Amino acid sequence: MKFGIVVNEGPYQHQASDSAYLFCKAAIEKGHEVSRVFFYHDGVNNATKLTEPPQDDRNIVNRWSKLAEEHGVDLVVCVAAALRRGIRDENLAAGFRISGLGQLVEAGIQADRLVTFGD
Amino acid sequence: MSEEGIKKFMFVNRKAPYGTVYALESLEVVLITAAFDQDVSLAFLDDGVYQLKKGQQTKGIETKNFSPTYRALEGYDIEKLYVEKEAMEARGLTEDDLLVDVTVLTRAEMGALMDEQDVLLSF
Amino acid sequence: MLHIINQSPMSSSTLDTCLNVATGGDILLIEDAIYAATAGNAYEAKIKEAMSRFKVYALMPDIEARGLADRVLEGVSTVGYDGFVDLVVANSNCQSWL
């Protein structure tokens, strides 16, 4: 089955990003496809490569980048939400791309299920 | 799916405007969805009903008043706006307090309508 | 339909609204919503009542993280993230009650 995922909250502040990641990982391990993760609202903060957590903490941003690299997951950051919050191409982590809200709607149309993680 | 390639999208709004950005950014997705020729409906539950309150004046909080956008939805062929009756009443509001025409549904009717959707988005 | 809840019922009306509006189906409690699935909390009676209309699931990693693995209410089924995925697959649509 093909999944689309929406992440509405920033990393470290809220569990939404962790839950979404663990859901994606489990889905892929079960042989499903996660075609796109769409980052919206404060969720766009998952995409900054300037993130530097303490060494004993998980690196949420790198974890997403790795998922994109190893499983071809399309990580899309909403352009309007990103620009409002200072996320731009210059500080975008690997595997992420900035695009429009149409990508969210398209994920809803093309995926078999769209699952939202937020506050 | 109702017709080939057309999905039923429902935007479930449960949050009040201005206190958080969710209502505004949800409305931005609604406008984009209209361009994809999908079957779009909006549901207003709990504090989400406050998004539709007439007479919003945001000058004092130096924030954009986005409530006129709800009136513009009709121009995008988005005409299915549903309000939960019990939520409206619990907030001392009537249909006359709302800035657009809506269909008022009981909780049970709202729940049944949700069951029919392909994609439910909530922010 | 799968209803996903992520807020504690003692601090948010999310679960209440879901129980009032939804016609039935599966409920999955994740993140802070798992507190609703634990014995002895103020919401226990409501969850028990809801079990006649809904099948209630709770995410075990979230329960364990919060130190409540030994207090899961009888009748609540616990699942891991793999079970979460299965629930989304098994239901034709899902709603995250945010």
Side-chain angles (χ1 to χ4, degrees):
Chain A
M1 193 168 260
K2 195 189 268 195
F3 289 102
I5 305 291
V6 186
V7 178
N8 291 332
E9 297 298 324
Y12 304 105
Q13 171 79 14
H14 193 287
Q15 204 186 338
S17 177
D18 292 289
S19 297
Y21 169 76
L22 292 167
F23 180 90
C24 290
K25 208 171 82 152
I28 291 165
E29 276 167 12
K30 289 185 83 79
H32 298 293
E33 181 193 349
V34 177
S35 52
R36 180 171 294 158
V37 182
F38 191 86
F39 297 88
Y40 197 35
H41 305 285
D42 272 359
V44 299
N45 290 313
N46 281 278
T48 168
K49 68 178 176 191
L50 302 176
T51 300
E52 210 175 309
Q55 287 210 328
D56 61 350
D57 200 354
R58 70 232 187 269
N59 190 318
I60 294 180
V61 177
N62 287 356
R63 226 167 41 174
W64 283 120
S65 294
K66 209 166 151 234
L67 203 69
E69 189 189 341
E70 292 175 0
H71 303 283
V73 179
D74 188 19
L75 307 177
V76 181
V77 182
C78 168
V79 60
L83 292 179
R84 274 188 186 124
R85 293 165 176 86
I87 306 293
R88 341 170 53 100
D89 281 327
E90 298 96 282
N91 58 345
L92 206 60
F96 289 88
R97 65 188 179 94
I98 294 178
S99 189
L101 276 172
Q103 300 284 305
L104 167 57
V105 182
E106 194 184 87
I109 294 169
Q110 292 175 354
D112 298 302
R113 301 281 187 278
L114 191 67
V115 188
T116 306
F117 293 87
D119 185 31
Chain B
M1 268 190 258
S2 46
E3 282 172 61
E4 192 68 33
I6 295 182
K7 280 192 175 182
K8 288 189 167 187
F9 276 74
M10 176 178 268
F11 293 87
V12 181
N13 299 286
R14 294 185 56 245
K15 291 170 180 158
Y18 308 116
T20 56
V21 77
Y22 301 104
L24 167 64
E25 288 190 334
S26 171
L27 198 50
E28 290 179 352
V29 186
V30 170
L31 294 172
I32 298 289
T33 309
F36 283 77
D37 294 325
Q38 301 295 301
D39 181 341
V40 179
S41 53
L42 276 68
F44 297 88
L45 284 69
D46 297 329
D47 281 352
V49 175
Y50 287 131
Q51 293 177 23
L52 301 178
K53 175 70 181 65
K54 270 182 195 164
Q56 298 175 28
Q57 302 283 348
T58 60
K59 211 172 236 172
I61 59 169
E62 299 191 7
T63 302
K64 184 179 160 192
N65 177 3
F66 60 90
S67 64
T69 311
Y70 295 103
R71 288 184 197 273
L73 290 176
E74 205 179 353
Y76 291 86
D77 289 327
I78 295 173
E79 291 164 344
K80 296 179 191 171
L81 275 66
Y82 302 101
V83 168
E84 182 202 346
K85 182 170 177 280
E86 290 84 347
M88 191 170 69
E89 289 173 357
R91 284 156 183 80
L93 301 176
T94 67
E95 275 185 79
D96 289 339
D97 292 311
L98 308 183
L99 48 80
V100 276
D101 288 335
V102 299
T103 304
V104 178
L105 299 180
T106 63
R107 284 169 172 167
E109 289 168 332
M110 189 68 90
L113 192 64
M114 284 181 162
D115 284 338
E116 294 173 13
Q117 305 300 315
D118 297 305
V119 181
L120 293 125
L121 275 160
S122 196
F123 298 106
Chain C
M1 182 166 171
L2 175 65
H3 304 277
I4 303 166
I5 311 284
N6 76 331
Q7 304 274 340
S8 163
M10 273 87 64
S11 66
S12 154
S13 64
T14 302
L15 182 53
D16 263 331
T17 300
C18 170
L19 296 180
N20 286 332
V21 171
T23 58
D26 294 339
I27 291 179
L28 173 63
L29 306 167
I30 69 168
E31 300 173 3
D32 287 350
I34 64 92
Y35 292 117
T38 58
N41 83 77
Y43 207 81
E44 184 177 336
K46 273 195 183 172
I47 277 287
K48 282 187 168 159
E49 190 271 325
M51 283 178 191
S52 60
R53 294 190 295 135
F54 300 90
K55 175 95 179 94
V56 181
Y57 298 85
L59 196 66
M60 198 55 175
D62 279 331
I63 296 171
E64 287 171 345
R66 289 160 176 80
L68 289 159
D70 59 348
R71 249 177 253 191
V72 179
L73 268 180
E74 207 184 312
V76 172
S77 304
T78 56
V79 294
Y81 287 98
D82 57 336
F84 184 173
V85 173
D86 291 340
L87 280 170
V88 175
V89 171
N91 284 274
S92 60
N93 57 1
C94 64
Q95 149 83 346
S96 295
W97 288 82
L98 304 177

